[in-house]
Amino acid sequence: MMKKQAVIYELLQENNGFVTLNQVKESGVSYYTVKKMIGEGKLEKDEPGLYRLPKVYIDEYYSIQHRYPKGVYSLETALWLHGLSLTIPFEPMMSFPYGTNTKLIKEYGIKPIILRSNYDEGIVEVMPIKGQAVNVYSVERTLAECLRSIYKIDVQIIAPAFKMYARQNKINYSQLFKYAKLFKVERKIQSYLEVLD
């Protein structure tokens, strides 16, 4: 048993103090060992299949991503994760592919957006906490998508986001206009960029 626990401790060390059940199984250790370690107070369970050392903090966004791996953080939540918003999203927004059942997702407190198309377009990883990567749409896709009138994103959130983006001195015009065209918001993007010039 001690050898099996040593394997888990090694995995925990490699993963900044947390481990998934899949990683445990891949290492050849059974769930019984994990259960025993939880019972002894050596491990704590955050989500089904996600475990951590008692003193390790698991970011809420990472925890949600683990629960809903197909979800991609989008719109206001993506702005927040990219550092382009000072408003912490009350209800995390995630996009899912068409056909996803949203009942449990909504019950969990997530605002799901179901996409018939372009779900896979522009997914990047960000790390709110070291070693805890989450899927989020790229900055340029997020800025363009937030301008779609269907989402009714407040101008008080969008305007500062464009200003913060411009302050980073990394405006990617080709990507911005690619997504502006995709979401049919070219005029809106143009007017925001003109204000920044």
Side-chain angles (χ1 to χ4, degrees):
M1 181 58 77
M2 290 312 289
K3 272 187 179 177
K4 289 177 178 176
Q5 288 195 14
V7 171
I8 291 178
Y9 277 121
E10 206 172 295
L11 287 169
L12 288 160
Q13 196 171 351
E14 288 168 13
N15 289 286
N16 302 300
F18 64 94
V19 68
T20 66
L21 186 57
N22 285 344
Q23 290 169 325
V24 171
K25 283 179 179 172
E26 283 167 16
S27 71
V29 178
S30 71
Y31 175 67
Y32 174 76
T33 308
V34 172
K35 202 172 173 184
K36 192 172 187 328
M37 288 176 77
I38 291 169
E40 292 168 356
K42 295 175 182 174
L43 273 184
E44 288 186 10
K45 179 179 172 179
D46 262 283
E47 287 284 334
L50 182 61
Y51 312 94
R52 63 179 168 82
L53 290 169
K55 290 183 180 174
V56 169
Y57 171 75
I58 292 206
D59 182 70
E60 179 192 3
Y61 293 102
Y62 180 80
S63 189
I64 292 169
Q65 181 80 82
H66 178 80
R67 182 177 278 242
Y68 301 108
K70 283 187 178 175
V72 181
Y73 288 108
S74 54
L75 302 170
E76 289 161 272
T77 306
L79 290 177
W80 165 255
L81 288 168
H82 282 302
L84 297 178
S85 174
L86 301 175
T87 309
I88 300 170
F90 171 68
E91 204 179 21
M93 295 172 127
M94 286 184 115
S95 292
F96 293 88
Y98 183 71
T100 302
N101 184 336
T102 60
K103 188 177 182 288
L104 292 175
I105 296 168
K106 285 176 183 169
E107 283 173 11
Y108 194 71
I110 296 159
K111 190 172 180 182
I113 293 145
I114 301 299
L115 299 176
R116 281 182 176 270
S117 58
N118 306 313
Y119 160 76
D120 290 330
E121 190 76 40
I123 298 172
V124 296
E125 277 190 347
V126 298
M127 228 174 270
I129 289 179
K130 188 178 178 239
Q132 298 181 26
V134 296
N135 291 332
V136 59
Y137 286 123
S138 71
V139 172
E140 290 77 17
R141 172 179 171 144
T142 301
L143 287 169
E145 201 168 12
C146 280
L147 294 175
R148 292 186 69 196
S149 50
I150 188 174
Y151 297 127
K152 298 178 175 65
I153 309 284
D154 195 331
V155 71
Q156 300 298 327
I157 288 170
I158 299 171
F162 270 92
K163 283 178 189 161
M164 286 183 206
Y165 176 64
R167 268 189 232 125
Q168 294 174 353
N169 294 320
K170 290 186 260 180
I171 297 179
N172 188 330
Y173 289 100
S174 66
Q175 284 293 300
L176 265 178
F177 283 104
K178 170 190 163 183
Y179 290 115
K181 195 173 180 183
L182 190 69
F183 297 122
K184 299 176 174 56
V185 292
E186 294 102 318
R187 280 187 184 172
K188 288 182 181 178
I189 284 268
Q190 193 69 52
S191 61
Y192 273 99
L193 292 175
E194 280 166 8
V195 169
L196 297 174
D197 282 347

